[in-house]
Amino acid sequence: MKFFAEVEVMPHKEILDPQGKAVKLGLQNLGIEEVDDVRVGKQINLTLNAENEDEAKEKVEKACKKLLANVIMESYSYKITQS
Amino acid sequence: MKFFAEVEVMPHKEILDPQGKAVKLGLQNLGIEEVDDVRVGKQINLTLNAENEDEAKEKVEKACKKLLANVIMESYSYKITQS
């Protein structure tokens, strides 16, 4: 079966996010003043083959832990849907 | 009112995504073989002040068009929730 996975990887809340700070400044320069807590992360979309949803979850979990996210600095979440 | 916006910026489907290709290769090296269509984009989360949801949408739309996404190469979508 084919599954579609959407993975979101964001920097931990306690960790400084210089990219987010830059975006906040950029938005303020655009006139969008009342912005706060800007965090920039990654979005990874992929399709994968698996026997069932549990196997798909296992694969995505492994992908997140070993490649997509640096678990020391980032947290991840994902949604899996059958496609 | 405070709103929380989650913006997703992804490369257009027609556009090559070398980062996605690299992730696909990395996953295959990890033993996650049956992966396809890997696309890597950005996720930007922010909170903003606005009078109502329409104004919040307008602000986020402007932010996407002028700063967060390069509309020639990327498409964006967002979700706004009151926080």
Side-chain angles (χ1 to χ4, degrees):
Chain A
M1 279 195 282
K2 276 212 162 188
F3 292 91
F4 178 63
E6 293 171 87
V7 181
E8 191 183 311
V9 179
M10 298 297 289
H12 284 318
K13 272 191 188 148
E14 310 80 45
I15 281 177
L16 276 178
D17 179 11
Q19 214 184 339
K21 263 199 178 162
V23 168
K24 187 180 167 182
L25 272 174
L27 290 173
Q28 285 170 341
N29 288 337
L30 272 177
I32 305 171
E33 300 279 348
E34 293 140 319
V35 178
D36 218 349
D37 292 331
V38 186
R39 310 289 287 176
V40 180
K42 284 176 289 184
Q43 172 79 27
I44 302 112
N45 293 349
L46 53 93
T47 57
L48 75 165
N49 274 314
E51 297 276 306
N52 51 47
E53 201 171 321
D54 282 343
E55 198 195 312
K57 257 187 198 169
E58 211 176 274
K59 281 182 175 183
V60 172
E61 190 74 37
K62 185 178 167 191
C64 287
K65 277 201 184 126
K66 297 215 170 176
L67 184 74
L68 302 177
N70 168 358
V71 288
I72 298 170
M73 296 172 69
E74 296 167 324
S75 57
Y76 60 86
S77 61
Y78 51 85
K79 249 192 301 187
I80 294 175
T81 45
Q82 209 175 315
S83 72
Chain B
M1 279 195 283
K2 277 214 162 188
F3 292 90
F4 178 64
E6 291 172 89
V7 181
E8 192 184 312
V9 179
M10 298 297 289
H12 284 316
K13 272 189 190 151
E14 310 81 46
I15 281 176
L16 276 178
D17 179 10
Q19 215 184 338
K21 264 198 178 162
V23 168
K24 187 180 165 180
L25 272 176
L27 290 174
Q28 286 170 341
N29 288 339
L30 271 178
I32 306 171
E33 300 280 346
E34 296 142 317
V35 179
D36 217 348
D37 293 331
V38 186
R39 311 287 288 174
V40 179
K42 283 176 291 185
Q43 171 80 27
I44 302 113
N45 294 348
L46 53 93
T47 57
L48 75 165
N49 274 314
E51 295 276 306
N52 50 48
E53 202 171 322
D54 283 343
E55 199 194 309
K57 259 188 197 168
E58 213 176 274
K59 281 183 174 181
V60 173
E61 190 73 39
K62 185 177 166 190
C64 287
K65 278 201 183 125
K66 298 214 168 178
L67 184 74
L68 302 177
N70 168 358
V71 288
I72 298 171
M73 297 173 66
E74 296 167 324
S75 56
Y76 59 87
S77 62
Y78 51 84
K79 248 192 304 184
I80 294 175
T81 46
Q82 209 175 315
S83 73

